[in-house]
Amino acid sequence: MSQQYDHITVEKNREKQTATIILDRPEKMNYVSMLGRQHLTQIFDELNRDEEVRVIVIKGAGDKCFTAGGDIPGFLEVHQEELSHLADNVAAPERSPKPVIAQLQGYTFGVGCEIAMACDFRIAAEDTQLALPEMNLGQIPGSGGTQRIAKIVGLTRAKDMIMRARRIPAQEAYQWGLLTKVVPKDQLEAEVDSLVAELVRFSPLAQKVAKEVLNASEDSPISVGIKLEGKAYGLLRSTQDYLEGTTAFVEKRKPNFTGK
């Protein structure tokens, strides 16, 4: 990457066509500073333009946690107007045109939970705990947590989690639909690698369009979503990747997608 970020490291793997964003403050449970939140947007903007990167992974440094949350004392130093827009930075994974995987372990609290909910896939170790504990501070989640949790699990469970500041263990979170998959901790890295290898097999253009359609239609009536899906389907019909995919199917070979 082209610059230094506040306790966030980015590693590229050209062979795997991935970039891994590491929340890198293990001695302090990988907490994310206010500056780090801003840097998260910058990192995604750069990776979104990088044609060598097909899939983005975000994880925490060390083996104890994804992140225990944000810089709580730092909130007191920021004007309330800025605090009103925290969700913009945390939504960077959701805005990315590329698949984003959250690799979770241990504490995934506060902004960590909110970042994870903005990702497309959430692969979690068995020791993962999800929580939005802001109620303990006389506050509510402010980076999209109330909205994304409620969309995923429904209002009753969202209230149970947020209004009681409950810690949701991995298996319960999986049952609620908050996690894509739960695996033993020693298999977490391999499981994420396996998902990356699966995703890079597909057309990057089709992946981008699928993500756009799914995200855009989430709050729309089904009739609007179906129209959007149909237009996107017709658009992809004219791409080289679609021609390659159908030709490869007929010829009984693996397709070579180029994103065009």
Side-chain angles (χ1 to χ4, degrees), residues 200-259:
V200 298
R201 290 178 42 240
F202 301 115
S203 161
L205 187 56
Q207 291 267 295
K208 173 185 176 182
V209 172
K211 182 171 178 175
E212 287 179 348
V213 170
L214 288 165
N215 287 347
S217 62
E218 182 181 16
D219 297 323
S220 303
I222 190 170
S223 58
V224 174
I226 288 174
K227 287 182 179 178
L228 181 60
E229 177 191 89
K231 290 183 181 299
Y233 188 89
L235 175 65
L236 287 172
R237 170 64 178 81
S238 63
T239 65
Q240 294 180 26
D241 273 359
Y242 179 80
L243 178 60
E244 168 63 14
T246 53
T247 302
F249 178 82
V250 172
E251 296 177 352
K252 295 181 172 56
R253 60 173 175 81
K254 291 182 180 180
N256 179 28
F257 294 120
T258 61

Side-chain angles (χ1 to χ4, degrees), residues 13-86:
N13 187 317
R14 288 182 173 83
E15 182 180 354
K16 294 182 179 180
Q17 302 179 74
T18 63
T20 301
I21 301 170
I22 304 169
L23 306 178
D24 196 1
R25 203 188 306 252
E27 73 283 0
K28 294 187 177 180
M29 305 298 283
N30 296 326
Y31 84 79
V32 182
S33 69
M34 297 298 292
L35 182 59
R37 290 169 182 255
Q38 298 173 23
H39 286 165
L40 195 63
T41 294
Q42 297 175 28
I43 290 167
F44 270 96
D45 285 346
E46 189 167 341
L47 293 178
N48 292 343
R49 297 190 297 268
D50 191 333
E51 295 183 357
E52 294 181 335
V53 174
R54 291 279 308 280
V55 178
I56 301 170
V57 177
I58 183 166
K59 67 178 186 178
D63 61 359
K64 292 183 179 179
C65 68
F66 179 62
T67 169
D71 177 13
I72 295 174
F75 289 122
L76 300 176
E77 302 172 3
V78 179
H79 191 275
Q80 64 185 42
E81 175 61 24
E82 183 176 346
L83 292 177
S84 299
H85 300 286
L86 292 179

Side-chain angles (χ1 to χ4, degrees), residues 63-251:
D63 61 359
K64 292 183 179 179
C65 68
F66 179 62
T67 169
D71 177 13
I72 295 174
F75 289 122
L76 300 176
E77 302 172 3
V78 179
H79 191 275
Q80 64 185 42
E81 175 61 24
E82 183 176 346
L83 292 177
S84 299
H85 300 286
L86 292 179
D88 294 345
N89 293 323
V90 173
E94 190 173 74
R95 291 194 301 268
S96 175
K98 302 177 181 184
V100 183
I101 303 169
Q103 180 176 318
L104 307 177
Q105 60 180 345
Y107 294 156
T108 303
F109 291 173
V111 69
C113 183
E114 291 173 310
I115 291 170
M117 293 305 116
C119 296
D120 304 305
F121 303 91
R122 291 173 285 277
I123 309 300
E126 291 175 329
D127 69 342
T128 301
Q129 295 184 58
L130 301 179
L132 292 170
E134 287 83 357
M135 200 60 58
N136 292 314
L137 304 174
Q139 185 55 282
I140 68 169
S143 299
T146 63
Q147 301 306 298
R148 289 194 178 90
I149 294 292
K151 294 287 187 186
I152 295 170
V153 306
L155 191 58
T156 298
R157 283 175 167 168
K159 287 180 177 179
D160 184 40
M161 178 179 179
I162 295 168
M163 295 178 70
R164 298 173 62 196
R166 271 194 62 201
R167 298 183 180 187
I168 311 299
Q171 288 297 338
E172 185 176 6
Y174 174 73
Q175 293 167 4
W176 283 15
L178 290 169
L179 299 175
T180 306
K181 192 169 186 178
V182 178
V183 298
K185 193 165 186 176
D186 61 359
Q187 298 177 23
L188 179 61
E189 198 82 32
E191 188 65 34
V192 171
D193 285 345
S194 177
L195 177 56
V196 167
E198 179 182 342
L199 291 171
V200 298
R201 290 178 42 240
F202 301 115
S203 161
L205 187 56
Q207 291 267 295
K208 173 185 176 182
V209 172
K211 182 171 178 175
E212 287 179 348
V213 170
L214 288 165
N215 287 347
S217 62
E218 182 181 16
D219 297 323
S220 303
I222 190 170
S223 58
V224 174
I226 288 174
K227 287 182 179 178
L228 181 60
E229 177 191 89
K231 290 183 181 299
Y233 188 89
L235 175 65
L236 287 172
R237 170 64 178 81
S238 63
T239 65
Q240 294 180 26
D241 273 359
Y242 179 80
L243 178 60
E244 168 63 14
T246 53
T247 302
F249 178 82
V250 172
E251 296 177 352

